[in-house]
Every structure is written in C-alpha cells, then in structure tokens.
Amino acid sequence: MTLKRLALAASVLIMLLVSGACTAMPDIQSNAYATAIGIDYKNGEWIAYAQVINFSTVAHSDQVDLGPAKPVWIGSGKGDTVASALIRVGETSQLRLFWGHVQVLVISEEALKKGVQDIYSAINRYREVRYTVYVYGTKQNIRDVLMQKSIINMAPLYTMMFTGTQSASKEAFILPVKANRVIAHLNEPGEPAAIPSVGIDGGEWTEDEKPKKMIRLTGMYFFRNNRMSSWMPVEDLYGLRWIEEDLERTPLLIRREGKPLAVLMLSHPRSSVKAISEGEGSQFRIQVKVKGFVMEIMDEASIKEMEKLAEEAIAREVETTFREGVKKETDPFGLLEELYRSNPSRFRKETTGDKFVLSNKSLAEVVVRVRLTNTGKYQGKPP
C-alpha cells in the first residue's frame, strides 16, 4: 500500500472515530442546565436546591422580548450528605442535569454553622462545577432567594448575585467572593474568611403598582475554625469599604456642625495595616488613602475643609466597624493576619487557645488622607 493510500485510510478511520464519539454525546436540548445551587440543613438532613432556567430567554438577540416573565425552575433533594442530596435533585428532573453553568452557591445560615468545608468538598469534587462560583449566605428561605429575578422581568442571571455589579450605593462595598478564595482564607492562620449575605427586599421597586421583590446585600458572615462564628449587618460594616481596593466608587455624606454639607464620591481606596508589637498585647494602625470628587454641595466650603471632614468621617466609620466586630469576637479588618505575617512567633503566643484576643484598645490609630480632585462638572455656588 502506498504512502498516499495509508494517509487516506488513516483519515477515514479518524473521521469514523470522531463521528462515533459525537453520536454518543447528548443533544444540547436534552440537558437541563443548572445555574445556581442552594444548600440548607434542617432536622439532621442536608437539603440541596438546583436553579434551572431556559437559556433561550437570556440569549442576546435583537428579537428578545424583555416584557414577559421568565420562568425559573427550582428542584430539591434531601440526603444524609451534601452529595446524596445533590444526586436526588436529578432523580425527578426528567432531563440530565448539567452543572457546568453553575455560577452561584447560596448557603443557609444553618448549613454555614455545620461548616463550609463539607459543602465545598462535595460540590467541588464533581468535575462539572467550577472552582470560581460566587458564594453567599442567607437567613431567608433558599428557594425564595433562588426564585428572584432582576428588573423588567429579566432572568436571575441579571441579579447582583450573578453579576457582582457595583452600584453607587453605600452598600455596594460588599463585593462577591469566589469559592476558591473562601477555602484559601479558611486555611490561612489569622485570616478571617468571610462571605456576603443576601436577602430579599420587597419595598423599593414596583411593576406599575405591584410591589416587586429584589435581592439585597444584607451583611457578611465571618468564620473561625471552619465554621460560621458571627454575622454582621451591613450597617455595622461601612468601615470595611475603605480597605476594599477593588471598590469602584462609594458615596460619603460629610456634615458640618451636625448639618449635611456635601456628598462626595470616592473610589479605589488604598489601605495598609501595621502591627505594633509592644507591651502585653499587639496594637494596630490602619492607614487609608482615597481620592474622589464632590457630587453635591449644600453650603459653601473650601476643598481643604471638605477633605478634613471626610477624613474624620472615614476614621469614625473604621473605628465603629472595628468596635462592632470586637463585640462579636470578629476581626473584620484582618488585623491578626497582619500580625501573623509580620511577627509569627508573637501571633502564636497571643492566639494560643480559642480565646478572642482583640479588644477596643487593639486599634491604636486610624490615619486617613482624602484628596478631592474636582468639584464636579457644575461650577455654580450652592444655594
């Protein structure tokens, strides 16, 4: 047989093998595509939820009608383990569940108290699920959370849980956290693993006159020894936004003698934490640098005065968040992580046992520097 005929025969054989392999693959329409997973724990049983949507309703096309409601299907299953509960979700799904499009994992507070290691281990061992799903906790019914849609009846894929969109809201500093980062933080000495918490708000949006529920960021869960140790509401966490370098923008209202003076829009803060290892217990200094512009002004004031008032307001927010964390034996700023990295021997000495070592005296100083680059496009004087 000539070399040319051998090459032809090899090509035919390869085509037959490829076509045979393709025929064994299920058709796209024969799968149900899960986009989010929910995990709950009640009465000694794990409960798993799978959110399934019709992807034809979210296709990017000029023909897509955003008016009609987009149905959301939620399947559930129970089991003695997380894996067995997930398997039972698919027992009545009618179609094969494909998990490769999962983008969000929502865990109930009860399940968080049991520990996230078991949950992540069971989900991550399944090869279709990615390492980088967003993880959230919730105090509310998981089925209700997974059913929520975005505005103008858009699918759940357009809610803030999936998109991680940063708005100009004061609460927008709570950024989404990916599963691989949660596990990395859990395994690091002194590093406080934390995940955002979400809830449902039903009072701020309406469709015509009908109230519509929307997803809202409600706070953060913090962990110690691989288990949820505390929850802090968003109102107690405003100081955290000044150490979040990925924060695109956040508003700050400054007051003069108790009266509103101006609203500033600040962005991309830069911060550092320094451990001062002197005396019996370590103390810490937090430094913040941030710049922005004037969004609204109610009375005449110089740039320097507004910068000074902003620095004082930011320092108060940081101190308040730290004190609220101490009340709940939580280290939201990761001060102990800095001690571990800068002075590991002192860290081991001070953190022996389960006792929480931080106190209100642990925060020695908060140093803030604000720079306002402009006063906005409107140059007129305030009324």
Side-chain angles (χ1 to χ4, degrees):
M1 185 178 289
T2 64
L3 185 60
K4 184 180 293 186
R5 288 184 177 181
L6 280 172
L8 179 60
S11 299
V12 172
L13 180 60
I14 291 172
M15 292 177 63
L16 288 173
L17 289 173
V18 171
S19 63
C22 291
T23 56
M25 295 290 291
D27 295 331
I28 293 177
Q29 65 270 20
S30 299
N31 289 331
Y33 296 91
T35 51
I37 293 174
I39 301 293
D40 198 359
Y41 186 83
K42 289 181 180 179
N43 303 320
E45 279 189 310
W46 291 98
I47 307 171
Y49 297 88
Q51 177 197 80
V52 177
I53 65 174
N54 184 348
F55 275 90
S56 67
T57 64
V58 296
H60 292 280
S61 168
D62 293 338
Q63 306 301 318
V64 174
D65 184 2
L66 296 179
K70 308 297 187 296
V72 180
W73 289 76
I74 307 293
S76 63
K78 298 180 180 181
D80 295 331
T81 67
V82 177
S84 61
L86 284 167
I87 290 171
R88 289 184 178 176
V89 175
E91 288 181 353
T92 55
S93 64
Q94 312 304 308
L95 300 175
R96 177 188 179 275
L97 274 176
F98 179 73
W99 303 92
H101 289 293
V102 170
Q103 299 179 42
V104 166
L105 171 62
V106 183
I107 309 173
S108 72
E109 187 170 291
E110 290 77 11
L112 288 174
K113 291 176 181 178
K114 289 288 293 181
V116 294
Q117 288 280 23
D118 293 340
I119 298 171
Y120 184 73
S121 177
I123 292 175
N124 191 49
R125 287 180 186 277
Y126 195 62
R127 58 185 176 83
E128 290 181 359
V129 181
R130 302 172 185 176
Y131 296 98
T132 54
V133 297
Y134 288 140
V135 184
Y136 299 91
T138 186
K139 293 177 176 288
Q140 296 187 261
N141 183 283
I142 288 184
R143 187 184 292 271
D144 293 341
V145 173
L146 295 180
M147 288 291 293
Q148 297 311 305
K149 303 181 180 72
S150 187
I151 60 173
I152 55 177
N153 285 320
M154 296 179 75
L157 294 183
Y158 297 101
T159 62
M160 64 174 61
M161 282 202 311
F162 285 84
T163 63
T165 300
Q166 294 184 36
S167 66
S169 166
K170 193 176 181 181
E171 285 79 14
F173 69 90
I174 300 181
L175 305 182
V177 179
K178 294 182 179 180
N180 57 344
R181 297 307 307 159
V182 174
I183 298 302
H185 292 170
L186 284 172
N187 294 328
E188 281 290 327
E191 186 158 352
I195 64 173
S197 65
V198 293
I200 303 171
D201 176 35
E204 297 187 353
W205 285 86
T206 60
E207 182 182 13
D208 294 328
E209 297 181 355
K210 181 181 177 182
K212 300 292 287 187
K213 296 179 180 179
M214 293 291 165
I215 295 291
R216 174 185 285 277
L217 294 166
T218 59
M220 295 188 76
Y221 286 103
F222 294 88
F223 298 81
R224 289 176 66 192
N225 300 323
N226 291 330
R227 280 180 168 75
M228 189 271 286
S229 60
S230 65
W231 176 78
M232 294 182 66
V234 66
E235 294 80 10
D236 293 341
L237 293 170
Y238 289 140
L240 276 184
R241 56 183 172 157
W242 308 115
I243 65 166
E244 183 54 73
E245 295 188 358
D246 291 331
L247 189 65
E248 294 176 1
R249 54 182 180 169
T250 187
L252 177 68
L253 171 65
I254 57 174
R255 299 175 182 271
R256 184 171 58 190
E257 299 179 353
K259 296 181 180 180
L261 174 64
V263 176
L264 312 179
M265 187 61 73
L266 307 175
S267 62
H268 297 292
R270 297 290 181 265
S271 65
S272 63
V273 176
K274 183 178 180 180
I276 307 170
S277 299
E278 299 175 357
E280 291 296 323
S282 295
Q283 291 185 304
F284 302 87
R285 178 185 296 114
I286 297 178
Q287 293 181 300
V288 177
K289 293 182 179 180
V290 63
K291 61 182 180 180
F293 62 90
V294 180
M295 188 176 182
E296 181 182 10
I297 187 166
M298 295 80 167
D299 199 357
E300 291 191 23
S302 67
I303 291 292
K304 287 189 177 296
E305 182 183 8
M306 287 189 286
E307 289 176 340
K308 183 176 183 298
L309 291 171
E311 290 167 357
E312 293 171 353
I314 291 172
R316 284 194 300 271
E317 287 192 358
V318 172
E319 292 166 359
T320 298
T321 294
F322 174 76
R323 288 195 299 268
E324 292 300 323
V326 169
K327 289 179 184 178
K328 297 187 177 183
E329 296 189 348
T330 298
D331 178 19
F333 292 103
L335 303 184
L336 292 177
E337 179 202 356
E338 171 58 27
L339 179 61
Y340 169 73
R341 298 189 182 283
S342 62
N343 196 337
S345 61
R346 190 175 182 100
F347 169 82
R348 286 190 290 269
K349 178 182 177 181
E350 294 185 6
T351 59
T352 301
D354 293 331
K355 183 181 178 181
F356 186 71
V357 299
L358 296 180
S359 67
N360 288 335
K361 296 180 180 179
S362 299
L363 185 59
E365 187 180 19
V366 180
V367 180
V368 183
R369 176 74 174 94
V370 174
R371 183 167 68 90
L372 298 177
T373 57
N374 63 76
T375 57
K377 66 179 182 180
Y378 177 63
Q379 301 299 320
K381 294 183 178 180

